[in-house]
Amino acid sequence: MAHYADVLRSAVSKCKAADLESLLRQWGYLTVNELNQLDFSKSKACVVREVAKLCEEKNRKKETLERVNDFDLMCTVKYPTKRRWSMYKLIDKKAGTKENQMSDPVKFRKKLHKQIDLYFDSTASVSVTLQDGALFCRIYIQAGTNPKFMNSNTIYVIHYPHCQSIAISAFKVSIQNFLFQCLSNTFGYHTMGNMMLSGLHYKSLFQLAFNKIGETSCGRLKEVQNLPFMSRRKRKAEEMEREPNMRSEDEAMKRKRSLSLEDAFGSYEQPVLESLQFKVDVKFKGNKNLQNVPDKVEQFRCCVKFEGPSVLEGIRNLAKCGLANEPLPKHLLRVNSLGMNKFVLKNKDKS
């Protein structure tokens, strides 16, 4: 297994220097006297070397490695946007699945570890914690017999109990089939599938996935609105006139546009997505305008990307300012309900 100095270095790389002392105190593995020996005015690299040295002096290798893995997971929970999350749907629930185990980190860790031991020959470690109603999991699967620590062998998983979707960080394609089977069995489903939805803000991703799946297991509308990942921030009312002595020449048009956007996007702030991708694969209809091209073009293919801090809010604001034609195309309006941010646009099949 990896030496804990490498794991500590990887964990601390996610953290802000100002938060390092409070994180180490929250971790609880170092004593007060050991923490007082650390000079937090030095660089993070220096602090990590000192922490690794203190861990080495404890002479409890197995316990220390487990606690260091827990620290790495704690840093991921603190800074979840440092990783890109991809959403997957759990499919075909098994009879007799016990949901109460999904809310207990200790029971869930044992169940997940058992599945990983069944599917992977190499040594693996599992850490689990419950934070803000979500299960956060860290899985490290050693690559063959190579004991050297590699970030690419670490996988992080987020799941809300009673929800039919999970978020997973990047992982090696070579382990995908075994990993999916491990997770499906652990959560009590037969299989799982890619939802074509990814981003940095996991709560927004779960909200979009929830919209797509249309889960009913969470009960009435009031209970759905109280789910930990559902947005509760209402958009501020838009002022039609900012100055008392100024009047808009197209006030009726602005009001109509505002009502149309509220109908399309709702009154709450949009889930945060950093990108929208549309792969276009349609029949080309401009051959008559190509005078000097000997061969006719049959298909038109391209990839269009929208990128920014919050693409859905950005698109809404463009339409609000009149910089995007109203009504917006369906493939932009339906992102919320479709729960995807990677699309393929094709001609309709007339057959």
Side-chain angles (χ1 to χ4, degrees):
M1 284 293 288
H3 193 275
Y4 29 78
D6 298 320
V7 184
L8 279 170
R9 198 175 297 112
S10 173
V12 169
S13 67
K14 309 182 187 85
C15 308
K16 294 178 181 178
D19 295 336
L20 186 53
E21 182 177 1
S22 62
L23 284 169
L24 286 170
R25 292 186 184 279
Q26 184 184 339
W27 180 33
Y29 190 54
L30 300 179
T31 65
V32 174
N33 289 335
E34 288 170 335
L35 286 167
N36 291 337
Q37 294 176 35
L38 301 174
D39 186 354
F40 291 100
S41 64
K42 293 182 179 179
S43 67
K44 291 195 294 183
C46 291
V47 175
V48 166
R49 282 196 293 270
E50 291 301 313
V51 172
K53 184 179 177 182
L54 291 171
C55 289
E56 189 82 39
E57 290 172 357
K58 290 181 180 290
N59 200 25
R60 300 195 294 266
K61 188 173 181 180
K62 185 177 179 181
E63 180 191 351
T64 299
L65 184 55
E66 288 179 357
R67 295 298 300 273
V68 167
N69 290 340
D70 292 342
F71 179 72
D72 180 47
L73 180 59
M74 190 174 76
C75 293
T76 298
V77 173
K78 176 75 173 176
Y79 303 99
T81 55
K82 295 289 185 179
R83 301 198 172 274
R84 177 163 290 276
W85 304 97
S86 297
M87 298 300 296
Y88 295 86
K89 179 183 177 182
L90 297 165
I91 302 169
D92 193 9
K93 190 173 184 178
K94 295 179 179 178
T97 299
K98 296 180 180 179
E99 290 288 347
N100 62 325
Q101 291 188 354
M102 309 303 167
S103 304
D104 188 327
V106 177
K107 290 181 179 179
F108 184 82
R109 180 184 177 278
K110 289 180 180 178
K111 191 175 181 180
L112 179 56
H113 212 313
K114 183 179 179 181
Q115 288 295 323
I116 290 173
D117 287 342
L118 283 174
Y119 283 92
F120 293 96
D121 294 330
S122 55
T123 307
S125 67
V126 178
S127 298
V128 180
T129 187
L130 188 67
Q131 186 76 24
D132 295 331
L135 276 174
F136 286 80
C137 312
R138 177 193 184 273
I139 305 168
Y140 186 84
I141 300 171
Q142 184 175 301
T145 57
N146 182 9
K148 187 178 179 181
F149 173 76
M150 295 175 66
N151 268 321
S152 58
N153 293 336
T154 311
I155 306 151
Y156 302 89
V157 180
I158 306 175
H159 174 69
Y160 282 94
H162 306 289
C163 286
Q164 206 179 331
S165 54
I166 60 174
I168 309 178
S169 66
F171 55 85
K172 293 180 179 178
V173 178
S174 59
I175 68 166
Q176 176 174 302
N177 291 338
F178 285 157
L179 176 65
F180 282 13
Q181 199 58 58
C182 282
L183 294 173
S184 299
N185 290 342
T186 304
F187 288 112
Y189 287 78
H190 284 98
T191 185
M192 53 191 283
N194 194 337
M195 297 184 71
M196 302 302 290
L197 175 63
S198 63
L200 304 179
H201 294 78
Y202 73 90
K203 287 188 177 181
S204 290
L205 297 177
F206 273 99
Q207 183 178 343
L208 289 164
F210 187 88
N211 294 343
K212 179 178 183 177
I213 297 170
E215 295 173 89
T216 58
S217 60
C218 294
R220 295 167 295 182
L221 178 62
K222 185 178 179 181
E223 293 170 336
V224 170
Q225 290 175 338
N226 289 328
L227 290 171
F229 51 80
M230 297 300 282
S231 173
R232 301 181 184 87
R233 293 183 61 182
K234 272 200 168 186
R235 186 177 289 103
K236 292 181 181 178
E238 296 171 3
E239 299 176 6
M240 299 303 296
E241 296 178 10
R242 296 186 179 276
E243 296 292 337
N245 298 325
M246 294 179 64
R247 291 187 62 83
S248 174
E249 294 181 358
D250 56 350
E251 182 178 327
M253 179 67 75
K254 284 185 176 180
R255 192 176 298 279
K256 181 181 177 182
R257 190 185 297 140
S258 179
L259 292 172
S260 174
L261 289 172
E262 185 168 339
D263 183 56
F265 290 96
S267 57
Y268 288 87
E269 289 188 1
Q270 297 302 296
V272 179
L273 284 177
E274 298 78 28
S275 68
L276 275 178
Q277 177 180 295
F278 297 92
K279 288 186 177 179
V280 182
D281 187 1
V282 297
K283 187 177 180 180
F284 185 67
K285 299 179 180 179
N287 281 308
K288 62 182 181 181
N289 299 318
L290 301 178
Q291 304 294 334
N292 301 319
V293 178
D295 298 323
K296 288 187 177 181
V297 180
E298 297 294 333
Q299 289 293 113
F300 177 77
R301 297 182 178 91
C302 71
C303 183
V304 180
K305 284 186 179 181
F306 296 85
E307 293 183 333
S310 182
V311 173
L312 294 179
E313 277 292 332
I315 291 171
R316 186 191 182 282
N317 290 336
L318 285 173
K320 169 191 163 187
C321 297
L323 297 176
N325 293 333
E326 268 272 289
L328 292 170
K330 288 183 179 179
H331 54 267
L332 291 178
L333 289 174
R334 296 183 64 199
V335 172
N336 263 306
S337 59
L338 291 174
M340 301 168 62
N341 63 342
K342 297 174 185 176
F343 300 87
V344 177
L345 303 181
K346 292 185 176 182
N347 291 112
K348 288 184 178 180
D349 189 357
K350 295 182 180 180
S351 61

